[in-house]
Amino acid sequence: MTVAETTGRRRTRRGGGSPPAKRKVDYRRLRNPFPPMPVFSDDRIEAIHEAALDVLERLGTKVLLPDARKAYKSGGATVHENTEMVHIGREMVFAALASAPRQIPVRGAVRERDIMLELGNLVFQPGAGAPHATDLERGRRPGTERDFRELVQLTQHFDVLHMVPPLIEPQDVPMHMRHYATLDAQLSLSDKVPFIFARGSPQVAQSFEMLRDFRGLSDAEFAAESHCYTIINTNSPRTLDRPMAQGLMDFAKAGQVSIVTPFTLMGAMAPITVAGAITLSHAEALAAITLTQLVRPGAPVCYGTFTSNVDMKSGAPAFGTPEHFKASLAAGQLARFIGLPWRGASGSVANLNDVQAANETQFGTWGCLLAGATVVIHAAGWLEGGLTVSYEKLITDLEVVQMVAELCAETPAEEAEIALDALEDVQPGGHFFGTAHTMDRYQTAFYQPLVAELSNFGTWQERGAIDTTSRATGIWKQILAETSGPTVDADALARLRADIRTRSEAGGAPPES
Amino acid sequence: MTVAETTGRRRTRRGGGSPPAKRKVDYRRLRNPFPPMPVFSDDRIEAIHEAALDVLERLGTKVLLPDARKAYKSGGATVHENTEMVHIGREMVFAALASAPRQIPVRGAVRERDIMLELGNLVFQPGAGAPHATDLERGRRPGTERDFRELVQLTQHFDVLHMVPPLIEPQDVPMHMRHYATLDAQLSLSDKVPFIFARGSPQVAQSFEMLRDFRGLSDAEFAAESHCYTIINTNSPRTLDRPMAQGLMDFAKAGQVSIVTPFTLMGAMAPITVAGAITLSHAEALAAITLTQLVRPGAPVCYGTFTSNVDMKSGAPAFGTPEHFKASLAAGQLARFIGLPWRGASGSVANLNDVQAANETQFGTWGCLLAGATVVIHAAGWLEGGLTVSYEKLITDLEVVQMVAELCAETPAEEAEIALDALEDVQPGGHFFGTAHTMDRYQTAFYQPLVAELSNFGTWQERGAIDTTSRATGIWKQILAETSGPTVDADALARLRADIRTRSEAGGAPPES
């Protein structure tokens, strides 16, 4: 096959006599075609919203950053400086929800990579945030800059992935220079919307400057539109730590996107019930959203959740479970209730890319899809509850994501497709292989698998009886070996790297915590 | 773990100090909680229905059984005896759709195994009809009576499987006695709704008699309710062969259930388009349904389809694809249009129980779920496009089916679940592990995995780094070793076996084709 064909187009074997690839697909702008599924009645959703407002108002949120407490206080919150507790009145939340945008356009490097975060759209991200990387050739290891760059290349390659997330931690790069490495990788190897870690103002400010300059934008142009995003995890229960609060404020001021995702595991840092855990998650998300709107009304902020359960025997997290699915459904109802685009998450706790891994991730993804998530993160590659990103799992999960993307396209059923003529042509006992109706369409009719093998048992055995995960190794290796990546302005890249050199020599920028 | 706990209840390790199993689940009567998803607009569904009526009326159906042609003719069809072509007028179809029941109650051996086939209900069947069986211990082999019996035991064990299908072909039993072996297995090892092959009137009549006697019913009692079912595959395009037509007539006369499922692969025995293939499938299903209602108005008949695509390079079937998914959605729309319960099918063409196998089956199952299928067949265990049933895949797919069943249950969100009290109890920085709210619920809150391993990488490695498929081997072996099966009337079983002995000595009953 050619590498260009792994994104969804027909694969032809190298040197084989197969017909040329002709199938064209466009996975870049997806609308969610799935009917939204509720888990709770509307009055229960209102009750959860009310309970969350009560949590914010009466129980309060611990906010570790003094500047954030000041912002909340200016907005009318009751703040106890000695306990760092902030009590946010419901009218503040209502004002924030009124000013938060329903549509958030985010720029890629080129217009076809722009995305629009709004309810009804569907945006996929691969697995992210993992300390480790793994693949069948090199094994499981602490993540490195090389892994990060390779995973950006793979993310870039598949049109169905629309944003670059913080794939793995490049642990071989010191923390005070890690933001240089991750931004360099994203800007030089991808033209998709990049991610910037909220690890304190110095790193964020530098990252904004480097991105602005690389894109050739003025300060005003950069601030006028969103060009990047961050992910804000609250510290459940009811704590907003310093870098997260600072990130919310810095991104809001700069007009860049915060995706707020409390990480509430039922039975651990949240109540054991779906309704309780989602109430806490909703309250924490509203607290964070409110902060962004206090800093800059209209600042782009995305609602989100990552609520699943734990194994009550070990306390270990579980993903892709029925409870995770139900929590996604509840979050989707709440997102529609407040009208904001939102992020849901798939996931798996399997320790290798096997049947459990496939089932959990696909099940978790369906939860997000039926919940109407705008952004689905960890849709491909995530293992061990997020401790590892697997190159092979990235490929095998992308098969599912691409098949989902196929379902986003209209399926025609006009006269030509109902095909009465063809039905008349083929007599009982005949077949449709050679009919004109088939011949006109056979190169384009069907989704062409990325990694699935359609051959029968005998042929598959002759070819070495290779399992899907092992086939995936060949695919990511070929993509890395053969893809050239996006067109990058060589001068801009040279300037970026010179800038990074200067900044590194000046000591980088330590993360804040 | 104890075997009883593999059906969805908490597993405790043997000899361990784990708390006793307390989680009770009931997967026996499921309603489909998923919002039905359309693939075509309502006017396109009407157009497909119209086109199917045109196919039946103008193009005709080849009906190989003279008695069936006679029945169609008596009902008003135009029949050409020389070509065996039957042209069914639309008013005949309308009459059949008016008399076919919307609700089909089917009796198991005990009342808790009764099922109701109607739109909105959800009934699962494992993979069926395979010539081969496979497992990791004994390898891939032609199916045997032992395999059939073991797979019936496994089907019996899981409450989420509601009907016994023709799991594999017991090829070591001669064809003229095979119906004895499959009926013995189903009646002695299961109390669920049994399957009877439509392989000609002699076998069907004998099977009805044996089932009637085993259940202790009079002829009138047997005929008054449905106690078994068969599956009718048309020979696409537009052919109804002898045993299938005979089966439709025999089951209709006896008041037993026919599930009509044309097997139309897009680009092979059906047009290459979803709309075209579904038009053909719909026409063939309507022809078969019409025959049942001509024989006995009100006879229990279930609509169905099995429409997927082929790999246009090899002609090999593909399942769990986007096109398969879309065809399921279209079939669901047509089923709702005519108001009948219907059967959809999942499936996989993978050659071993790996990531591809898991992804295809789960994807195909979601297609059926969002299509509102009443019966989902091949939901667990099917490999190689139906050439093999895998013991391990049966287990690993059942994890998904059980998780789906969990989603059928109501999720409470009353005050106790929203848990404001618990939220107030736990301060920022705290956790919910020890709260009363958690302690009251921790043994019952979450689905307990059947085969998924939730332990972390280190623990999993210490336990031998066993993959999910290999873990599944231990599970099915334990179930076979330890389950006692349903309570069976020893006298009835002795009579059944004596009857089978007598019938065997009399030469059995050869299948008809």
Side-chain angles (χ1 to χ4, degrees):
Chain A
M1 74 173 154
T2 67
V3 164
E5 288 157 1
T6 55
T7 53
R9 275 161 281 170
R10 189 173 193 83
R11 292 160 54 191
T12 50
R13 251 167 295 140
R14 234 188 276 245
S18 305
K22 285 199 177 164
R23 191 163 194 268
K24 294 262 190 291
V25 293
D26 188 353
Y27 296 152
R28 281 174 297 194
R29 297 233 158 83
L30 303 179
R31 293 284 296 174
N32 185 331
F34 306 102
M37 176 175 174
V39 63
F40 298 135
S41 63
D42 289 347
D43 78 291
R44 291 297 86 202
I45 290 297
E46 280 179 48
I48 287 171
H49 184 63
E50 274 300 311
L53 293 174
D54 193 33
V55 166
L56 292 178
E57 206 160 37
R58 191 166 56 85
L59 307 186
T61 305
K62 189 166 187 170
V63 178
L64 304 187
L65 185 74
D67 275 357
R69 291 199 298 275
K70 199 181 295 178
Y72 279 120
K73 191 170 183 180
S74 309
T78 304
V79 175
H80 301 287
E81 278 297 323
N82 57 330
T83 57
E84 302 174 310
M85 292 299 286
V86 174
H87 296 261
I88 304 167
R90 60 185 57 210
E91 69 291 342
M92 289 175 65
V93 176
F94 297 154
L97 292 178
S99 66
R102 269 61 185 146
Q103 293 187 316
I104 305 172
V106 195
R107 291 293 198 190
V110 291
R111 293 297 69 80
E112 60 262 35
R113 297 299 190 189
D114 292 349
I115 59 171
M116 176 67 87
L117 301 179
E118 68 176 325
L119 287 173
N121 277 0
L122 188 50
V123 167
F124 288 105
Q125 294 186 5
H132 299 96
T134 194
D135 65 67
L136 289 190
E137 297 233 323
R138 296 170 292 188
R140 182 178 184 269
R141 70 262 180 191
T144 64
E145 184 175 7
R146 178 176 172 182
D147 295 324
F148 190 92
R149 294 184 71 87
E150 289 177 349
L151 290 167
V152 169
Q153 284 181 275
L154 294 172
T155 302
Q156 170 66 15
H157 180 70
F158 291 95
D159 282 350
V160 83
L161 297 173
H162 304 99
M163 301 169 84
V164 186
L167 296 144
I168 53 95
E169 277 296 324
Q171 298 190 51
D172 55 343
V173 182
M175 284 296 281
H176 64 288
M177 302 206 289
R178 201 172 285 173
H179 59 303
Y180 304 144
T182 54
L183 198 59
D184 181 303
Q186 294 182 84
L187 298 183
S188 63
L189 299 170
S190 175
D191 54 13
K192 298 181 181 182
V193 172
F195 172 89
I196 290 175
F197 256 121
R199 285 178 173 161
S201 294
Q203 288 200 356
V204 168
Q206 289 191 350
S207 298
F208 286 165
E209 286 164 16
M210 292 188 289
L211 173 57
R212 176 200 64 195
D213 292 347
F214 187 79
R215 292 276 194 259
L217 302 171
S218 67
D219 278 333
E221 285 167 342
F222 184 77
E225 297 184 297
S226 297
H227 303 274
C228 62
Y229 76 107
T230 195
I231 292 176
I232 299 294
N233 294 129
T234 51
N235 266 8
S236 305
R238 294 193 280 128
T239 306
L240 192 55
D241 70 18
R242 284 165 175 265
M244 294 289 100
Q246 191 66 63
L248 285 167
M249 297 178 76
D250 291 340
F251 274 72
K253 273 181 214 154
Q256 307 304 311
V257 181
S258 291
I259 300 183
V260 178
T261 57
F263 183 41
T264 51
L265 290 174
M266 304 173 209
M269 59 278 251
I272 195 166
T273 48
V274 176
I278 261 316
T279 297
L280 179 62
S281 173
H282 189 58
E284 294 179 358
L286 292 178
I289 290 169
T290 299
L291 180 58
T292 65
Q293 302 304 303
L294 290 172
V295 168
R296 174 171 160 169
V301 61
C302 196
Y303 180 79
T305 187
F306 199 171
T307 301
S308 189
N309 58 306
V310 295
D311 173 16
M312 288 310 297
K313 274 182 290 190
S314 65
F319 298 105
T321 63
E323 293 76 26
H324 179 188
F325 195 112
K326 291 174 179 183
S328 295
L329 297 183
Q333 289 183 270
L334 287 161
R336 290 189 293 281
F337 184 76
I338 61 173
L340 297 191
W342 73 288
R343 185 202 88 147
S346 184
S348 167
V349 295
N351 291 300
L352 80 170
N353 186 35
D354 70 350
V355 165
Q356 176 184 340
N359 276 337
E360 288 177 339
T361 298
Q362 186 176 162
F363 200 81
T365 296
W366 279 108
C368 294
L369 296 171
L370 293 180
T374 315
V375 179
V376 183
I377 196 174
H378 310 320
W382 220 57
L383 280 179
E384 297 175 44
L387 295 181
T388 296
V389 165
S390 154
Y391 285 56
E392 283 83 15
K393 184 163 169 60
L394 186 76
I395 299 297
T396 57
D397 287 339
L398 278 169
E399 185 89 274
V400 175
V401 179
Q402 291 195 156
M403 292 204 295
V404 168
E406 290 281 328
L407 300 177
C408 297
E410 283 288 312
T411 308
E414 300 305 318
E415 265 187 42
E417 288 82 25
I418 291 177
L420 263 177
D421 289 355
L423 286 166
E424 192 163 354
D425 279 353
V426 179
Q427 295 308 307
H431 61 74
F432 290 76
F433 280 118
T435 63
H437 188 262
T438 301
M439 295 306 289
D440 287 348
R441 291 169 175 80
Y442 80 98
Q443 288 182 319
T444 57
F446 305 138
Y447 168 72
Q448 293 303 313
L450 168 60
V451 62
E453 162 99 44
L454 303 183
S455 61
N456 65 26
F457 191 81
T459 306
W460 171 75
Q461 278 204 312
E462 283 163 24
R463 290 182 189 164
I466 302 170
D467 80 320
T468 306
T469 300
S470 302
R471 291 198 302 274
T473 305
I475 293 173
W476 67 254
K477 285 179 67 179
Q478 196 183 356
I479 294 170
L480 292 183
E482 297 183 11
T483 45
S484 51
T487 307
V488 171
D489 182 330
D491 292 342
L493 186 58
R495 282 195 303 274
L496 173 70
R497 288 184 172 162
D499 187 22
I500 287 176
R501 225 166 12 249
T502 308
R503 290 178 190 270
S504 299
E505 284 161 12
E512 297 189 339
S513 62
Chain B
M1 76 173 152
T2 68
V3 163
E5 288 157 358
T6 55
T7 53
R9 273 160 284 172
R10 189 173 193 84
R11 290 159 57 193
T12 50
R13 251 167 295 137
R14 229 189 279 245
S18 305
K22 285 200 176 163
R23 191 163 194 268
K24 294 261 190 289
V25 293
D26 187 353
Y27 297 153
R28 280 174 298 194
R29 297 237 156 83
L30 303 179
R31 294 284 296 174
N32 185 332
F34 306 103
M37 176 174 173
V39 62
F40 298 136
S41 62
D42 288 349
D43 78 291
R44 291 299 84 201
I45 290 297
E46 280 180 48
I48 287 171
H49 184 64
E50 274 301 310
L53 293 174
D54 192 34
V55 166
L56 293 178
E57 205 161 41
R58 190 166 56 85
L59 307 186
T61 305
K62 189 165 188 171
V63 178
L64 304 188
L65 185 75
D67 275 357
R69 291 199 299 274
K70 198 181 295 178
Y72 279 120
K73 191 169 184 177
S74 310
T78 304
V79 175
H80 302 287
E81 278 297 324
N82 56 332
T83 57
E84 302 174 310
M85 291 300 288
V86 174
H87 297 260
I88 304 166
R90 59 185 56 210
E91 68 291 341
M92 291 175 64
V93 177
F94 298 153
L97 293 179
S99 66
R102 268 61 184 148
Q103 293 187 315
I104 305 172
V106 195
R107 290 294 198 188
V110 290
R111 292 299 69 79
E112 60 262 36
R113 298 298 190 189
D114 292 349
I115 59 172
M116 175 68 85
L117 301 178
E118 67 175 325
L119 287 173
N121 277 0
L122 188 50
V123 167
F124 288 104
Q125 292 186 7
H132 299 96
T134 194
D135 64 67
L136 288 190
E137 297 232 324
R138 296 169 293 189
R140 183 177 183 269
R141 68 256 180 199
T144 65
E145 184 175 9
R146 177 175 172 183
D147 295 323
F148 190 92
R149 293 184 71 87
E150 288 178 349
L151 290 168
V152 169
Q153 283 181 274
L154 295 173
T155 302
Q156 170 66 16
H157 179 70
F158 291 95
D159 281 350
V160 83
L161 298 173
H162 305 98
M163 302 169 82
V164 186
L167 296 143
I168 53 95
E169 276 298 323
Q171 297 190 52
D172 56 342
V173 182
M175 284 296 283
H176 65 286
M177 301 208 291
R178 200 171 288 175
H179 58 303
Y180 305 144
T182 54
L183 198 60
D184 181 300
Q186 294 181 85
L187 298 183
S188 63
L189 300 170
S190 175
D191 55 12
K192 299 183 182 181
V193 171
F195 171 90
I196 290 174
F197 256 120
R199 285 177 172 160
S201 294
Q203 287 201 356
V204 168
Q206 289 192 349
S207 298
F208 286 164
E209 288 164 15
M210 292 188 290
L211 173 59
R212 176 201 64 196
D213 293 346
F214 187 79
R215 292 276 193 259
L217 302 170
S218 68
D219 277 333
E221 285 167 340
F222 184 77
E225 296 184 297
S226 297
H227 304 273
C228 62
Y229 76 106
T230 195
I231 292 175
I232 299 294
N233 294 128
T234 50
N235 266 7
S236 306
R238 293 190 280 130
T239 305
L240 192 56
D241 71 17
R242 285 165 176 265
M244 294 290 100
Q246 191 67 62
L248 285 166
M249 299 178 75
D250 291 341
F251 274 72
K253 271 181 216 155
Q256 306 304 311
V257 181
S258 291
I259 300 183
V260 178
T261 57
F263 183 41
T264 51
L265 290 174
M266 304 172 209
M269 57 278 250
I272 194 167
T273 47
V274 176
I278 260 318
T279 297
L280 180 61
S281 172
H282 188 60
E284 294 179 359
L286 293 178
I289 289 168
T290 299
L291 181 56
T292 65
Q293 301 305 304
L294 290 170
V295 168
R296 173 171 160 172
V301 63
C302 196
Y303 180 79
T305 186
F306 199 172
T307 302
S308 189
N309 58 306
V310 294
D311 173 16
M312 289 309 297
K313 276 182 290 192
S314 65
F319 299 105
T321 63
E323 293 75 26
H324 179 191
F325 195 112
K326 291 174 180 182
S328 295
L329 297 184
Q333 288 183 271
L334 287 161
R336 290 189 293 280
F337 185 77
I338 61 174
L340 296 192
W342 72 288
R343 185 201 88 147
S346 185
S348 168
V349 295
N351 291 300
L352 80 169
N353 186 34
D354 70 351
V355 166
Q356 175 184 340
N359 275 337
E360 287 176 341
T361 298
Q362 187 177 157
F363 201 81
T365 296
W366 280 109
C368 295
L369 295 172
L370 293 179
T374 316
V375 180
V376 183
I377 195 174
H378 310 320
W382 220 56
L383 279 180
E384 299 175 43
L387 295 181
T388 295
V389 164
S390 154
Y391 284 55
E392 283 84 14
K393 185 164 167 59
L394 186 75
I395 299 297
T396 57
D397 287 339
L398 278 169
E399 184 89 273
V400 175
V401 178
Q402 291 195 158
M403 292 204 295
V404 167
E406 290 281 329
L407 299 177
C408 297
E410 283 288 313
T411 307
E414 300 305 317
E415 265 185 43
E417 289 83 24
I418 291 177
L420 262 178
D421 289 354
L423 286 167
E424 194 164 352
D425 281 351
V426 179
Q427 296 308 306
H431 61 74
F432 291 76
F433 278 119
T435 63
H437 187 261
T438 301
M439 295 307 289
D440 287 348
R441 292 168 174 81
Y442 82 98
Q443 288 181 319
T444 56
F446 305 137
Y447 169 72
Q448 293 302 315
L450 169 60
V451 61
E453 161 99 44
L454 302 184
S455 60
N456 66 25
F457 191 80
T459 307
W460 172 74
Q461 277 205 313
E462 282 162 24
R463 289 183 189 164
I466 301 170
D467 80 318
T468 307
T469 300
S470 302
R471 290 197 302 274
T473 305
I475 294 173
W476 68 254
K477 284 178 68 180
Q478 195 183 356
I479 294 169
L480 292 183
E482 298 183 11
T483 46
S484 52
T487 307
V488 171
D489 180 330
D491 292 342
L493 185 58
R495 284 195 301 273
L496 172 71
R497 287 183 173 164
D499 187 22
I500 287 176
R501 226 167 11 249
T502 309
R503 291 178 191 270
S504 299
E505 284 161 12
E512 296 190 339
S513 59

